[in-house]
Amino acid sequence: MKKYILPVVLLALLAGCGKVKDVSETDSHIEIVSGTASSTTKGAATSETETTTDDDGKKTTTTKKAGEKISGTTTTAAKATGRVVTRASGGNSVVHGTTRVVPTAPRTTSRTTTSASSTHQPATEPATYDHKDYSSVTFDFKSDKPDKIEVIRPYSDGRSRSCQTLNVDTTEIKEELEKNSNKTINDFLEKVDFDGDGYPDLFVKEKEDELNISGKYFKYDPDEGKYTVWEELNALKFEIKKDTSSNRLVVLDKKEDKIEYEKKSFEWNAQNKLVLREYIHQYTNSGDILIDYINYDENGAEISRETRDSEGNLIGENNQPTSEEPNEE
């Protein structure tokens, strides 16, 4: 009997303590909702896992020492404010720390929009000049720019600049300026109100000799503040003088013999058309100097004619002229 007592006692001890399993062959895994800690222990002599959960001021601690068998999965539910602490000692362990639920901050997209009105700079108005202020107009000519005369005006920004270029024949003007340093471009210009609108027009002397002066006429446009080529006056060929007493425009064409000449007088009619009102032609006939006088109405139709000698005596019973009639303009 005694030989069976020792084995029985050993079996009883084994039954009471449970079978001790080598920890090296045991894998334990713990998953926690709202925070997961995983621990795997192999080949360790001892293992201790402590889980602490705060739940409304209550603390629960679970401790499992080495030698106790852990099987299955332990799940502990905790509030979002709970704290999970996992601790492992000994052996090769992998601890995935403490997991917390961190609310994701809403992404704020900030776009800066600048309206056109806040960044748009007011447009600077270009400098201009008073179109009707002809008194400030000056002229300039440069020898390196042939056949061009610049019209200079002061602008609203206080600076004077060219506002227009006039195309004329400056060949003789250039020669005269080079020969005589006392002359300026103004010696070749005449400002006269030829049409009676209150604004001076311009005549540029292009060629001048002992008999006649020819050039180009420009009409001043007060609405545009510029000069326009005046074809109606340019057709008269020579310099025009304004007769202040009759308000007529007079053109004198002298001939080479210095005796003969043609004098034409024009005026503006009610339709603002330039018409010939008087024609005077002096010439020689058989050694005598004769003068024809022809008058026209406001529409350019002939109303009278006569011929006189150099003494003013009437020639011919029918007062018929012995010279050619002038061409009506």
Side-chain angles (χ1 to χ4, degrees), residues 210-211 254-260 282:
E210 295 179 356
L211 298 174
K254 299 176 183 178
K255 306 302 180 180
E256 293 182 358
D257 59 6
K258 298 184 181 181
I259 296 176
E260 184 179 2
Q282 178 175 291

Side-chain angles (χ1 to χ4, degrees), residues 141-148 170 174 177-178:
F141 168 73
K142 294 182 175 59
S143 59
D144 59 344
K145 293 182 178 180
D147 301 333
K148 296 184 184 301
T170 60
K174 181 179 178 181
L177 292 176
E178 291 175 349

Side-chain angles (χ1 to χ4, degrees), residues 86-102:
T86 302
R87 183 176 60 208
S89 62
N92 296 324
S93 61
V94 178
V95 180
H96 295 284
T98 302
T99 302
R100 296 180 182 176
V101 178
V102 180

